[in-house]
């Protein structure tokens, strides 16, 4: 039976980064996912914010051109445009980034077990037996000192470890149109309409090289396929009217990549670690409750989690692992959780229309700029710096 220091379940960005960070610390790591290729079936739009780009060096080949402008559309189509002096966003070329992260992790010594589904665990006195099943249905059992759940919103690892699980989420779907450059300044266009996207938005993300068109809404109040078709027509009509899109049928052309998935919006879960394992990324409820942005939390939480595991397994120091709790992170999200409740409650277009009108005047305009261009994230800087130093 194979034995590893750490088994990481899930080869999304959180899992790939965890595997690389831990392998570079000299730990034996098994990275596994039910997919055979992590670059296929990408779920996220992949919008990186300025703070992430400043903190974590990403190769230019995995990033689109910078975006400085955000345009908000009210339910009636009124526009509010916000321009930043900084390069605020870049759309990641996620397939290339996933391939790069996997190559870096395996180069550092991580073992990649493609096409394996997590089935459960059996707890020994100290170690844990991890039950996997390959694509042919054959069981594969490995022994590990620690287990990491990077396996998404409905994490089976969280259930197996008896940690907290997400209870609130959005459903989102989009089309990716490589090579479609709109005839307008690179920008994010956000469409606020509770009839179309209850509790969230429709979006057009355009960086001059490719365009993403998508829509999301609260689970149970949203039909992804039907709503996407409706939104594609609405967005194409607006862009054609602005002469930014010469051929509206480009949005529905065959061969475009479809993405979709569920995004937790309940905020950080409270119990995300135990002596046998921990959760990162969506499994831990890391995305912003308000914007549903999850890439910056993915990078930062993975760094803290890796530091906690190294302390636990290498230095026999439980300090960071004991502090790895949602209760430490949730206070930073109280305002966003409050705004999430407001957005969820705004199911009348007239109310949202009034909110959009207020964004044109102070102080609502300042609040909007803080949400769109703010640099607040988590974990808190002392915790993050401490974890980073221990990995240095």
């Amino acid at each position: 039976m194979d034995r590893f220091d750490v088994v990481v379940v899930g080869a999304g960005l959180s899992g790939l980064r965890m595997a690389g960070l831990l392998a570079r610390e000299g730990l034996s790591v098994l990275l596994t996912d039910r997919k055979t290729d992590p670059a296929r079936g990408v779920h996220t739009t992949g919008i990186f914010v300025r703070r992430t780009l400043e903190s974590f060096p990403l190769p230019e080949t995995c990033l689109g051109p910078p975006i400085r402008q955000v345009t908000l559309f009210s339910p009636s189509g009124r526009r509010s445009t916000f321009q930043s002096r900084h390069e605020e966003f870049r759309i990641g070329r996620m397939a290339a980034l996933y391939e790069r992260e996997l190559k870096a992790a395996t180069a550092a010594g991580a073992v990649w077990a493609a096409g394996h589904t997590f089935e459960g665990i059996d707890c020994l006195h100290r170690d844990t037996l991890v039950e996997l099943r390959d694509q042919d249905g054959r069981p594969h059992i490995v022994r590990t000192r620690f287990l990491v759940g990077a396996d998404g919103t409905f994490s089976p690892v969280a259930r197996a470890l008896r940690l907290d699980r997400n209870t609130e989420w959005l459903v989102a779907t989009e089309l990716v149109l490589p090579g479609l450059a709109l005839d307008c300044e690179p920008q994010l266009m956000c469409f606020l309409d509770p009839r179309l996207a209850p509790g969230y938005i429709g979006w057009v993300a355009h960086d001059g090289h490719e365009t993403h068109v998508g829509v999301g809404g609260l689970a149970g109040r949203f039909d992804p396929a039907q709503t996407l078709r409706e939104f594609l027509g609405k967005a194409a009509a607006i862009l054609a009217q602005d002469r930014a899109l010469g051929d509206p049928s480009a949005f529905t052309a065959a061969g475009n990549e479809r993405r979709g998935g569920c995004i937790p919006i309940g905020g950080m879960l409270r119990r995300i670690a135990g002596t046998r394992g921990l959760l990162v990324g969506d499994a831990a409820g890391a995305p912003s409750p308000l914007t549903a942005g999850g890439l910056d939390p993915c990078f930062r939480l993975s760094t803290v989690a890796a530091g906690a595991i190294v302390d636990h397994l290498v230095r026999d120091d439980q300090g960071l692992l004991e502090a790895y709790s949602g209760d430490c992170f949730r206070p930073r999200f109280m305002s966003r959780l409050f705004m999430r409740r407001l957005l969820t409650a705004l199911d009348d277009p007239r109310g949202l229309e009034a909110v959009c009108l207020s964004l044109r005047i102070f102080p609502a305009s300042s609040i909007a700029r803080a949400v769109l261009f703010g640099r607040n994230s988590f974990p808190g800087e002392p915790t993050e710096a401490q974890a980073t130093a221990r990995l240095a």
Side-chain angles (χ1 to χ4, degrees):
M1 179 185 298
D2 294 328
R3 185 176 188 272
F4 297 88
D5 292 320
V6 184
V7 171
V8 179
V9 178
L13 194 52
S14 290
L16 290 165
R17 288 194 63 80
M18 284 294 296
L21 288 169
L22 295 170
R24 284 190 285 275
E25 286 296 307
L27 295 174
S28 58
V29 179
L30 176 70
L31 171 66
T32 183
D33 195 287
R34 65 178 182 274
K35 295 190 296 185
T36 56
D37 181 358
R40 298 184 63 184
V42 175
H43 296 299
T44 178
T45 299
I47 298 177
F48 290 95
V49 299
R50 176 161 54 103
R51 186 166 185 249
T52 312
L53 297 169
E54 291 173 347
S55 301
F56 301 94
L58 294 174
E60 287 292 319
T61 54
C62 296
L63 297 170
I67 297 173
R68 298 171 180 263
Q69 180 174 305
V70 176
T71 301
L72 300 182
F73 291 83
S74 74
S76 68
R78 289 191 176 94
R79 307 175 189 218
S80 299
T81 299
F82 300 86
Q83 188 82 21
S84 175
R85 296 173 298 170
H86 305 285
E87 297 178 349
E88 293 289 349
F89 311 104
R90 300 184 74 171
I91 301 174
R93 306 310 187 231
M94 300 308 292
L97 183 58
Y98 281 21
E99 290 172 352
R100 177 181 180 273
E101 291 287 333
L102 178 59
K103 184 177 180 180
T106 54
V111 176
W112 166 230
H116 282 67
T117 302
F118 175 80
E119 295 287 323
I121 62 173
D122 188 10
C123 298
L124 304 179
H125 177 60
R126 289 185 177 273
D127 289 353
T128 301
L129 298 182
V130 180
E131 302 170 21
L132 305 172
R133 192 168 298 277
D134 67 17
Q135 286 187 310
D136 296 323
R138 294 172 298 195
H140 182 198
I141 298 177
V142 297
R143 185 167 179 161
T144 187
R145 297 170 64 193
F146 206 79
L147 177 63
V148 174
D151 49 343
T153 302
F154 309 112
S155 170
V157 171
R159 181 178 62 248
L161 292 174
R162 298 183 180 180
L163 300 175
D164 287 350
R165 303 173 68 192
N166 294 295
T167 58
E168 298 179 66
W169 57 86
L170 298 169
V171 182
T173 183
E174 74 170 8
L175 278 181
V176 182
L177 300 101
L180 178 62
L182 302 178
D183 190 14
C184 62
E185 182 175 348
Q187 60 185 292
L188 303 181
M189 305 176 196
C190 303
F191 296 76
L192 303 169
D193 187 341
R195 296 164 302 190
L196 182 74
Y200 199 47
I201 60 171
W203 66 89
V204 176
H206 154 66
D207 65 10
H209 288 181
E210 69 179 40
T211 302
H212 296 238
V213 186
V215 65
L218 293 167
R221 293 168 52 185
F222 176 73
D223 183 330
Q226 178 180 335
T227 307
L228 180 60
R229 287 193 295 269
E230 180 182 346
F231 179 64
L232 287 170
K234 178 177 181 177
I238 290 175
L239 292 170
Q241 185 178 13
D242 292 345
R243 298 183 180 178
L245 180 64
D247 179 13
S249 66
F251 277 4
T252 56
N256 294 324
E257 178 187 356
R258 285 185 177 267
R259 295 181 182 178
C262 297
I263 311 167
I265 53 168
M268 284 292 299
L269 301 175
R270 297 183 182 279
R271 190 162 179 265
I272 56 174
T275 56
R276 292 185 180 272
L278 56 73
L279 309 176
V280 292
D282 287 7
S288 166
L290 178 60
T291 66
L295 294 182
D296 190 68
C298 160
F299 277 72
R300 298 185 189 281
L301 193 62
S302 295
T303 301
V304 176
I309 294 171
V310 169
D311 270 11
H312 173 58
L313 297 182
V314 177
R315 303 184 179 99
D316 197 24
D317 182 346
Q318 307 306 308
L320 275 181
L321 185 61
E322 292 174 357
Y324 189 81
S325 165
D327 288 327
C328 297
F329 304 126
R330 285 182 70 87
R332 292 186 64 90
F333 290 95
M334 294 312 296
S335 62
R336 288 176 238 184
L337 283 167
F338 175 73
M339 295 175 73
R340 158 53 50 193
R341 300 294 177 251
L342 287 179
L343 185 59
T344 299
L346 280 173
D347 55 2
D348 186 339
R350 293 171 297 181
L352 196 52
E353 189 72 34
V355 171
C356 290
L357 283 172
S358 72
L359 298 180
R360 302 185 177 193
I361 59 175
F362 183 84
S365 59
S366 295
I367 295 174
R369 293 186 65 86
V371 171
L372 296 172
F373 304 138
R375 301 181 71 252
N376 292 327
S377 183
F378 83 100
E381 295 296 346
T383 305
E384 184 181 325
Q386 182 184 21
T388 303
R390 296 191 184 203
L391 284 171

